[in-house]
Amino acid sequence: MTVGLQHYVVLSAILFSIGLYGTLGRRNAIVVLMGIELMLNAANISLVAFSRYLTPPALTGQVFALFVIVVAAAEAAVALAIIMTIYRNRRTIEVDKIDLMKW
Amino acid sequence: MNLWLLAPELSLFFTAVVVLLLGLASSRRGIVIGVSLLGVLVSFVFAAFLWSGTPQATFNGMLSVDQFAVFFKFIVLAALVLVILASADYDYKVEQVRAEYFTLILISAVGLMLLSSARELITIYVSLEMSSISLYVLAGFLRDRRSSEAGLKYLLLGSVASATLLYGMSFVYGLTGKTELGQIASAIQSLSLSGLLDNPALLLGLVLVAGGFGFKISSFPFQMWVPDVYEGAPTPITGYLSVASKAAGFAAVMRIFYDAFGAPSWLGQNWGLLFAGLSIATMTVGNIVATAQANIKRMMAYSSIAQAGYIMVGLAAVSMGQSVAPAARSALAFFLASYTLTNMGAFVAIIAFSNKTNSDLIVDYSGMGRRAPLLALGLTLCLVSLLGLPPTAGLIAKVYIFNAAVQQGLLWLVIVAVLNTVVSAYYYLRVVKLMWLGNPVSEEPVPSSAALRTALFLACAGILLLGIVPDLLVRLSETAGHSLL
């Protein structure tokens, strides 16, 4: 068996689903953040795989993935800072307890 | 590659850096605000030069500098002037409003201006994130319980939306092999000729992209974040979020769904029907829930969801057919311009009131007509314009956009939108009635600073001017609507 494009696409779909489950199903804000990172990396895998198998000489997809990695790092930094302020304010980062505003 | 075509963004970014450095040297807010406004003015002058140029693509087709993009740059700059003036005197949170705050606002504006020009998936993603990440920080800027909650909610939901958008983009890229919108369009044309267009993977990609942008423009199933973020964020940022980021989001949606996925025509019409359905859901949810709100920032949040619904009427009209699309695009541009002035004006007045009362509850607006007649008059004008009564810009904008939809055969959609407008009269006029006929809690007058008064005056003058002589802006927005590359 050789590893082909569909293996990568399926892997990225599985990763994306795990990430989505993490963001929707988990309560700890850090774990939610990890879910988001998984979703972004799922997109990266599929970008790189498409780039490698469908448009081999052009590196567009791989360049795209590099940009995504940079953006994800910036996003994670901001996210951790905001989670810190939340923790200082309420001594918890359980997302279902952060419910001052609803409706 | 011509750097002059990027001059508005570059000058604004330069201003942001200067402001950040100034913040290290001096803690006087007047200087920071003056420099920011000067930077906006310079950027505006550059944009005005680009307006008179010919539409062209630059950076290997990644950015298109046409009048349509420049029009949205003007909208972002106008919102920027108003938000900077409004932040100058966001009194009861004085300590926190420092140089970084203005730097972040300027950087997010750079992102939004790039987004309105972007015609390539990587550029779209990066400029979208450039504005979003700054806005996440700004939403949580006050670092109190409410503001940090708003920041967290905006950040988590926004990141999920952009990850979804990105995953969708990866499928679009995978099936077309291109990231540039024009090339995607021709790839889709050739797919449709070989009968491969009903590929479920492409459909999945398109739906995910639509979902990601639906979040940005607060369209129906993705509108849940809006009220919480709008309530908790600093009020000037709420105003900025509700106008600038929405306007640029609509510009990007228009480019993506018209440039890349607009042909063949049956595909465009499917988008039209999708947007029409979402538009009905969006405005109905927004208007009905807004009637039940006790906090004015929350009410304005639902009102802005409803307004997004009206704007999507224009989006539906754009996608329905090529022949009238330029007219629908101009209507949409006009609507967004008038909505920017109106909504920012309303938020400026809200800031002035809450500086005094320290409260955002609607009941506290009782009798404000007697305590602060000018502020109350300004807020009344803005609310009347949001409702769409003469002699305001809101009326012209609604007539313009509904007219475009009727020409495309979307009469049923317009009927629903007009019925929705009637519902919205209830909550807009409730505030107006309370201000003028309610009993004041105290007789103390409400003071306001020169910056806030200037901002409110600019917004109200714009609303009246566009309401009485709409020709000025109609001609500009027509040029914009016809220029899309």
Side-chain angles (χ1 to χ4, degrees), chain B residues 39-80:
Chain B
V40 176
L41 184 70
V42 170
S43 172
F44 181 84
V45 171
F46 281 128
F49 273 116
L50 293 182
W51 175 268
S52 51
T54 47
Q56 53 186 309
T58 180
F59 288 97
N60 293 324
M62 286 185 184
L63 293 172
S64 65
V65 183
D66 44 20
Q67 274 78 5
F68 181 76
V70 178
F71 190 90
F72 280 88
K73 289 178 212 235
F74 285 144
I75 292 183
V76 172
L77 289 172
L80 205 50

Side-chain angles (χ1 to χ4, degrees), chain A residues 9 12-13 16 20 23 29 32-33 36 39-40 42-44 46-47 50-51 54-55 60-61 63-64 67-68 71 74-75 78-79 82-83 85-86 89-90 95 98-103, chain B residues 120-122 125-126 129 133 136-137 143-146 148-153 155-156 159-160 162-164 166-167 169-171 173-175 177 179 227-229 231-232 289 293 298 302:
Chain A
V9 175
S12 98
F16 189 82
L20 193 60
T23 57
V32 173
L33 195 62
I36 291 167
M39 289 167 77
L40 288 172
N44 279 345
S46 88
L47 280 171
F50 281 133
S51 171
L54 300 177
T55 56
T60 325
V63 172
F64 202 156
F67 275 101
V68 175
V71 169
E75 214 161 48
V78 168
I82 290 180
I83 292 173
T85 38
I86 287 272
N89 274 318
R90 344 176 155 222
V95 284
I98 304 169
D99 58 355
L100 205 59
M101 296 175 288
K102 47 190 168 188
W103 261 90
Chain B
E120 196 260 354
L121 295 182
I122 303 179
Y125 177 73
V126 173
E129 289 297 298
I133 292 180
Y136 300 151
V137 181
R143 283 183 278 173
D144 59 10
R145 288 169 73 95
R146 270 171 199 277
S148 56
E149 178 175 332
L152 185 72
K153 282 179 172 166
L155 176 116
L156 291 181
S159 312
V160 172
S162 61
T164 312
L166 192 65
Y167 195 58
M169 280 178 173
S170 80
F171 278 106
Y173 167 68
L175 284 151
T179 55
D228 287 359
V229 173
E231 186 188 342
V289 184
Q293 298 306 319
R298 269 185 111 69
Y302 282 105

Side-chain angles (χ1 to χ4, degrees), chain B residues 440-455:
Chain B
V441 188
S442 74
E443 291 296 327
E444 241 181 297
V446 177
S448 53
S449 72
L452 283 176
R453 280 201 299 268
T454 314

